[in-house]
């Protein structure tokens, strides 16, 4: 496949290059400022870009495929096949929004990933965490108060039964929970280290998991060559996670500037979401209040992260409201409220990809790079009708502005 007459954003450079891009199989065979000739011995699909911008496929560092695709009622009352098939359908939707890779941060996505990787259904590359790991009464404990916790002999909650969460207390059970997710194909591990808006029992100030429990998780993940990412908003939880060796802080909206500076000092990633009121809706005033508090921290944390040079990834964390799933594209464009357009585009492409590669030998796509337009990289590409370096808002309407989407060297959309 040959893209001609395109302006190229390579995933890093602040300016566009004009040239041709040749794809051979699943990878990019060459990027040239001179016209690339066709091989007469091989059939070649030629796409004339008409001076549009060719850029790497985007990635989302914090999705919940099954959580995003299913409502609360689906998750509680639906069969596991119903939940999984909704997740598979949403994976296709994400790809058609231009997201060619995602890091799934809680949910049983192994089968969805397998179907996509075998080319049987359209969807992005998936970096699965499998079940997120939580203490009793923590952010991932969705058992009801009248039920005994598993640590005291009770049954698993529905969230555990469907592989969305795993409740584990004490270093030994945390070790087992981490190893269970790795056994199921996790490329990285997700641990809950503080309170959250979606959960019922844990105020945002709570700190979850003791030092020995957290270190057990980090040790078990490191033995498999990968890392731990932690859900946490508050200062104490972030600092405890960093001390334990965690490599990625998910959220962090209630941090102070000194703690954000610490992330830069310790080379820890901040996997942030540009949350605003309306991204999530909660039926009770307690959780709605927690959501409002989280959103107040967005501007400050982005400002401090830029000031101190923190490695920052971008994600969405949309959950349990399938009708809001297209907001993923709006939230990508919203990065322009906090960063320059080129900084935002780097984060959406090569920046997120750098975080994903922390999975090391657990990286399921380590044979080539993604998030860049470069020789040898995976052929995951978007042809944009317009220049996102000038107008990041183009990404908010992928149906209109993404003319061609290629993933793994295969055209999944072409409206030219």
């Amino acid at each position: 496949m040959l893209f001609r007459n395109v302006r190229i954003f390579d995933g890093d450079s602040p300016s566009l290059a004009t040239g041709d891009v040749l794809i051979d199989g699943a990878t990019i065979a060459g990027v040239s400022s001179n016209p690339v000739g066709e091989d007469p011995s091989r059939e070649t699909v030629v796409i004339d870009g008409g001076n549009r911008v060719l850029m790497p496929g985007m990635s989302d560092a914090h999705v919940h495929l099954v959580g995003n695709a299913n409502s609360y009622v689906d998750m509680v009352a639906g069969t596991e096949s119903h939940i999984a098939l909704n997740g598979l359908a949403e994976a296709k939707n994400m790809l058609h929004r231009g997201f060619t890779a995602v890091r799934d941060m809680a949910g049983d996505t192994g089968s969805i990933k397998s179907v996509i990787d075998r080319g049987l259904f359209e969807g992005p590359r998936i970096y699965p965490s499998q079940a997120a790991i939580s203490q009793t009464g923590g952010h991932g404990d969705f058992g009801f108060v009248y039920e005994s916790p598993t640590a005291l002999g009770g049954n698993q909650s529905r969230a555990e039964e469907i592989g969305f969460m795993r409740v584990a207390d004490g270093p030994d059970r945390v070790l087992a929970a981490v190893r269970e997710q790795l056994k199921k194909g996790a490329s990285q591990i997700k641990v809950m280290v503080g309170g959250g808006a979606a959960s019922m029992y844990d105020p945002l100030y709570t700190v979850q998991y003791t030092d020995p429990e957290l270190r057990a998780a980090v040790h078990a993940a490191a033995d498999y060559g990968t890392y731990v990412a932690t859900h946490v908003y508050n200062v104490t939880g972030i600092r405890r996670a960093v001390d334990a060796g965690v490599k990625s802080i998910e959220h962090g909206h209630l941090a102070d500037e000194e703690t954000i500076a610490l992330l830069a000092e310790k080379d820890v990633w901040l996997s942030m979401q540009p949350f605003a009121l309306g991204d999530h809706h909660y039926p009770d005033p307690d959780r709605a209040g927690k959501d409002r508090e989280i959103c107040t921290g967005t501007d400050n944390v982005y400002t401090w992260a830029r000031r101190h040079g923190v490695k920052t990834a971008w994600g969405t964390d949309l959950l349990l409201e399938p009708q809001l799933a297209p907001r993923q594209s709006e939230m990508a464009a919203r990065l322009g409220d906090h960063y320059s357009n080129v900084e935002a585009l780097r984060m959406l492409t090569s920046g997120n990809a750098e975080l994903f590669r922390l999975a090391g030998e657990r990286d399921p796509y380590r044979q080539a790079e993604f998030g860049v337009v470069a020789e040898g990289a995976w052929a995951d590409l978007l042809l944009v009708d317009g220049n996102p370096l000038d107008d990041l808002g183009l990404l908010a309407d992928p149906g209109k502005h993404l003319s061609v989407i290629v993933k793994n060297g295969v055209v999944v959309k072409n409206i030219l």
Side-chain angles (χ1 to χ4, degrees):
M1 188 186 309
L2 178 59
F3 279 93
R4 280 190 169 151
N5 191 23
V6 292
R7 294 176 292 158
I8 303 164
F9 170 66
D10 63 6
D12 180 59
S13 176
S15 59
L16 302 177
T18 300
D20 290 0
V21 176
L22 180 65
I23 297 170
D24 189 357
T27 59
I28 297 173
V31 180
S32 175
S33 58
N34 299 313
V36 175
E38 298 175 46
D39 183 346
S41 66
R42 302 178 66 187
E43 183 179 352
T44 302
V45 174
V46 179
I47 298 177
D48 187 334
N51 206 37
R52 292 174 177 84
V53 172
L54 188 73
M55 62 175 281
M58 296 182 291
S59 55
D60 188 329
H62 197 121
V63 303
H64 299 289
L65 270 173
V66 296
N68 196 7
N70 290 277
S71 68
Y72 179 80
V73 172
D74 290 325
M75 297 288 269
V76 171
T79 64
E80 290 189 43
S81 59
H82 174 85
I83 293 168
L85 288 170
N86 279 346
L88 185 62
E90 177 56 22
K92 179 178 178 179
N93 293 338
M94 285 188 181
L95 178 60
H96 281 255
R97 293 184 204 119
F99 295 96
T100 55
V102 299
R103 193 176 60 141
D104 192 278
M105 299 310 287
D108 186 7
T109 57
S111 295
I112 296 173
K113 176 182 180 299
S114 175
V115 168
I116 292 169
D117 286 350
R118 285 181 287 149
L120 303 178
F121 200 82
E122 293 179 355
R125 303 179 190 276
I126 299 174
Y127 283 73
S129 301
Q130 291 301 110
I133 301 169
S134 169
Q135 69 176 38
T136 297
H139 184 57
D141 183 355
F142 288 90
F144 295 109
V145 291
Y146 54 79
E147 297 174 314
S148 295
T150 53
L152 300 178
N155 295 323
Q156 292 181 356
S157 68
R158 172 64 173 170
E160 290 186 89
E161 290 176 345
I162 62 176
F164 195 59
M165 299 290 166
R166 169 63 74 209
V167 176
D169 295 286
D172 288 345
R173 290 202 173 193
V174 170
L175 281 173
V178 170
R179 290 166 178 164
E180 177 190 33
Q181 309 323 310
L182 294 166
K183 177 181 176 181
K184 291 182 175 181
S187 55
Q188 65 283 320
I189 297 298
K190 167 81 172 295
V191 178
M192 308 300 198
V193 184
S199 44
M200 295 177 284
Y201 316 121
D202 52 339
L204 294 175
Y205 64 80
T206 59
V207 183
Q208 299 169 19
Y209 276 130
T210 61
D211 291 329
E213 289 170 316
L214 269 179
R215 292 182 188 278
V218 169
H219 193 169
D223 281 349
Y224 269 70
T226 189
Y227 68 99
V228 171
T230 53
H231 161 103
V232 61
Y233 291 104
N234 63 61
V235 167
T236 304
I238 294 171
R239 288 179 173 268
R240 182 178 293 183
V242 171
D243 287 345
V246 163
K247 295 298 184 185
S248 177
I249 299 299
E250 307 297 311
H251 314 313
H253 291 67
L254 303 182
D256 57 23
E257 184 171 1
E258 292 75 14
T259 301
I260 296 301
L262 177 69
L263 299 184
E265 177 187 337
K266 299 294 186 180
D267 198 30
V268 175
W269 280 83
L270 176 65
S271 176
M272 184 78 170
Q273 303 77 36
F275 287 150
L277 290 176
D279 288 337
H280 302 90
H281 301 91
Y282 297 102
D284 58 278
D286 180 57
R287 283 183 285 177
K290 290 195 286 185
D291 180 55
R292 285 194 299 272
E293 185 177 352
I294 290 166
C295 291
T296 63
T298 300
D299 288 339
N300 283 337
V301 173
Y302 272 131
T303 298
W304 297 329
R306 289 190 73 192
R307 181 179 299 163
H308 294 284
V310 177
K311 290 182 177 179
T312 307
W314 170 87
T316 50
D317 193 31
L318 297 170
L319 191 65
L320 300 179
E321 295 182 274
Q323 71 277 11
L324 295 184
R327 187 161 290 184
Q328 182 181 37
S329 299
E330 298 173 26
M331 293 176 73
R334 200 186 295 164
L335 263 181
D337 295 342
H338 308 281
Y339 291 86
S340 70
N341 288 352
V342 67
E343 288 171 329
L345 287 170
R346 284 174 184 151
M347 198 181 299
L348 289 162
T349 55
S350 60
N352 274 1
E354 184 181 350
L355 169 60
F356 291 16
R357 285 195 292 272
L358 289 184
E361 291 298 310
R362 299 294 293 180
D363 183 344
Y365 310 107
R366 62 186 178 278
Q367 299 88 345
E369 283 188 279
F370 66 91
V372 294
V373 180
E375 184 176 346
W378 291 119
D380 299 346
L381 301 166
L382 310 176
L383 189 65
V384 185
D385 192 2
N387 183 1
L389 282 174
D390 292 336
D391 182 6
L392 200 65
L394 297 170
L395 303 179
D397 190 350
K400 180 178 180 180
H401 296 295
L402 297 186
S403 300
V404 179
I405 300 174
V406 175
K407 185 243 175 171
N408 211 39
V410 176
V411 175
V412 298
K413 175 186 177 182
N414 185 351
I415 59 172
L416 292 181

